[in-house]
Amino acid sequence: MSLNRTTAAKRYAKALFELLAEKDQLDSGYSDLQQLRRIFEDNPSLSTVLSNASLELDKREALVADLKRDASPYIQNLIQMVFDYDRMDIMVAIIEQFQVLYDEKQQIVYADVTTAVALVGNQADVLSQTFAKRVGAKKAILRCQVDASILGGAIVKSAGIVYDGSLQTRMNQLRQRLLA
């Protein structure tokens, strides 16, 4: 019975994460994986090419050798194993699952922030630090966007939770209280 893509990616990622944690090489492994992710993102057909049996094996092996060239030995082993088991189509998913584990260990959270006007100066940094403290994380990475319809304040969405401090919502709440 073959594993689905997500299950397989989680297993590879967990095994790699545990190995790198044991060898005290999580940060360097994470860095190598981010570089590898960029290669796959810059070349969207790469995983298809590496999985394509119609392309000669020696050409696919040469591409894999290029991927392994600057990586640490553990990442090189991962690349080779994933290639040998004909799973190159899940390499990005493995990296994404590794990042989930890494972020959890490093206490990093991600949040989408919507404000009425663009954040200027150190406002994003202050908001990031405040949000991280509120959710018990060491670091919050914000993806900011502007939506003038909220009038003021901010809406922060993270891990399925919405923190709505927008002026539009406050006005709606006040309107509801007055009409009740």
Side-chain angles (χ1 to χ4, degrees), residues 69-89:
R69 185 178 325 125
D70 296 326
S72 68
Y74 298 111
I75 304 305
Q76 288 177 2
N77 289 342
L78 171 73
I79 295 168
Q80 189 64 52
M81 183 174 27
V82 171
F83 177 74
D84 289 345
Y85 284 96
D86 197 27
R87 293 282 202 164
M88 291 305 285
D89 61 323

Side-chain angles (χ1 to χ4, degrees), residues 55 75 145 162:
L55 183 64
I75 304 305
Q145 61 186 10
V162 178

Side-chain angles (χ1 to χ4, degrees), residues 2 10-11 23 28 31 35 49 67 75 93 96 118 122-123 147 149 154 158 166 177 179:
S2 67
K10 284 181 179 181
R11 287 186 181 180
K23 302 295 182 181
S28 63
S31 177
Q35 290 175 6
V49 169
L67 289 176
I75 304 305
E96 289 169 353
N122 70 343
Q123 288 177 325
D147 180 356
S149 71
S158 178
S166 68
R177 282 191 215 129
L179 294 175

Side-chain angles (χ1 to χ4, degrees), residues 161-180:
I161 299 172
V162 178
Y163 301 89
D164 191 339
S166 68
L167 186 55
Q168 181 65 44
T169 298
R170 289 181 189 167
M171 288 174 42
N172 288 341
Q173 290 170 343
L174 181 59
R175 183 178 300 121
Q176 291 299 323
R177 282 191 215 129
L178 291 173
L179 294 175

Side-chain angles (χ1 to χ4, degrees), residues 90-179:
I90 66 167
M91 183 58 80
V92 173
I94 293 169
I95 296 168
E96 289 169 353
Q97 291 300 320
F98 184 92
Q99 178 150 5
V100 168
L101 297 170
Y102 182 84
D103 289 345
E104 185 177 299
K105 172 121 173 99
Q106 300 298 325
Q107 295 179 323
I108 298 171
V109 296
Y110 294 85
D112 294 314
V113 176
T114 304
T115 55
V117 296
L119 299 176
V120 294
N122 70 343
Q123 288 177 325
D125 292 337
V126 170
L127 182 58
S128 173
Q129 292 167 6
T130 303
F131 184 70
K133 188 175 182 180
R134 178 173 181 142
V135 297
K138 288 183 180 175
K139 181 178 181 181
I141 298 174
L142 307 179
R143 293 177 293 268
C144 299
Q145 61 186 10
V146 175
D147 180 356
S149 71
I150 69 169
L151 303 176
I155 300 172
V156 181
K157 297 177 185 176
S158 178
I161 299 172
V162 178
Y163 301 89
D164 191 339
S166 68
L167 186 55
Q168 181 65 44
T169 298
R170 289 181 189 167
M171 288 174 42
N172 288 341
Q173 290 170 343
L174 181 59
R175 183 178 300 121
Q176 291 299 323
R177 282 191 215 129
L178 291 173
L179 294 175

Side-chain angles (χ1 to χ4, degrees), residues 50-64:
L50 291 172
S51 300
N52 190 345
S54 65
L55 183 64
E56 296 174 18
L57 181 60
D58 60 331
K59 290 182 180 175
R60 288 186 287 147
E61 287 174 339
L63 289 171
V64 169

